Amino acid sequence: MQLPFVDSDHVVEQRIGCAIRSFFEREGEDRFRDIEEAVIDDLTASHPGVMATGGGVVLRPGNRERMRSRGHVVYLRSSPEELARRLRHDTQRPLLQVADPLARLRDLHTARDPLYRDAAHFVAEAARTSVPAMVRMVSMQLELAGLAVATDAVDAPDAPAAGPARGTPPGHRR
């Protein structure tokens, strides 16, 4: 898709000067979400490409509204079981440092799935899909919606950069 990429969690970590997990433990989830919301506001107003977000970004109505109105949101949906498989060795996600991470993922999914759907322009089922296949699937959805240049044109040596300067996914946004 030849668009710039930013991960909002990396921007949050740059602002707070430490790992999210450390900040979360020291300052709490509410303070973390305040900083995350400010980052989302800044990025949705200025970043011209693809933005990945943290899983809880949809908890704040302002984040959902900004992402949806300032870009095109793609929700890469996975089941709690698939997420548990992918994240089984991850020690950096504060909300999953519990005795039963799968139960926690199920609870988070129940609470967040409707919020993701509310924010999303597109929903892509990501279970067991390879990254190249997911990129093709998202690109095709964007092409059909008139939001990106056809993949064949993007791969051609003389093709201009794909998509409009602002507003094409994947990730949860743009």
Side-chain angles (χ1 to χ4, degrees):
M1 290 170 49
Q2 301 178 4
L3 294 168
F5 173 82
V6 67
D7 184 320
S8 66
D9 279 350
H10 292 158
V11 176
V12 167
E13 288 182 333
Q14 289 172 346
R15 286 203 187 167
I16 62 178
C18 65
I20 289 173
R21 181 177 179 184
S22 299
F23 186 86
F24 211 94
E25 290 170 356
R26 189 177 65 244
E27 303 288 333
E29 183 173 3
D30 286 343
R31 181 70 183 121
F32 167 75
R33 297 291 174 208
D34 291 342
I35 293 167
E36 179 184 56
E37 188 168 19
V39 166
I40 295 301
D41 186 30
D42 291 347
L43 291 174
T44 56
S46 65
H47 180 70
V50 177
M51 181 175 78
T53 65
V57 73
V58 296
L59 297 173
R60 296 263 174 115
N63 288 340
R64 294 193 307 272
E65 189 280 322
R66 285 180 195 97
M67 290 188 306
R68 186 161 178 79
S69 68
R70 295 178 181 171
H72 298 280
V73 181
V74 177
Y75 169 23
L76 303 178
R77 187 182 180 284
S78 290
S79 69
E81 293 74 18
E82 176 65 16
L83 291 170
R85 185 187 69 76
R86 289 183 195 165
L87 300 172
R88 68 185 174 273
H89 301 297
D90 189 319
T91 60
Q92 297 306 306
R93 296 175 189 270
L95 295 178
L96 297 184
Q97 306 313 304
V98 296
D100 189 352
L102 178 56
R104 172 64 60 88
L105 284 166
R106 286 178 176 145
D107 291 343
L108 292 171
H109 186 268
T110 298
R112 294 176 179 180
D113 185 66
L115 302 175
Y116 282 118
R117 290 178 184 280
D118 178 56
H121 293 90
F122 307 104
V123 177
E125 294 297 328
R128 303 254 180 192
T129 303
S130 69
V131 171
M134 181 57 60
V135 169
R136 284 191 304 274
M137 184 171 29
V138 170
S139 295
M140 193 167 29
Q141 283 186 330
L142 295 172
E143 290 163 17
L144 290 171
L147 299 171
V149 174
T151 306
D152 293 330
V154 172
D155 293 335
D158 299 321
R166 302 206 45 225
T168 46
H172 297 293
R173 185 179 131 62
R174 303 219 292 189

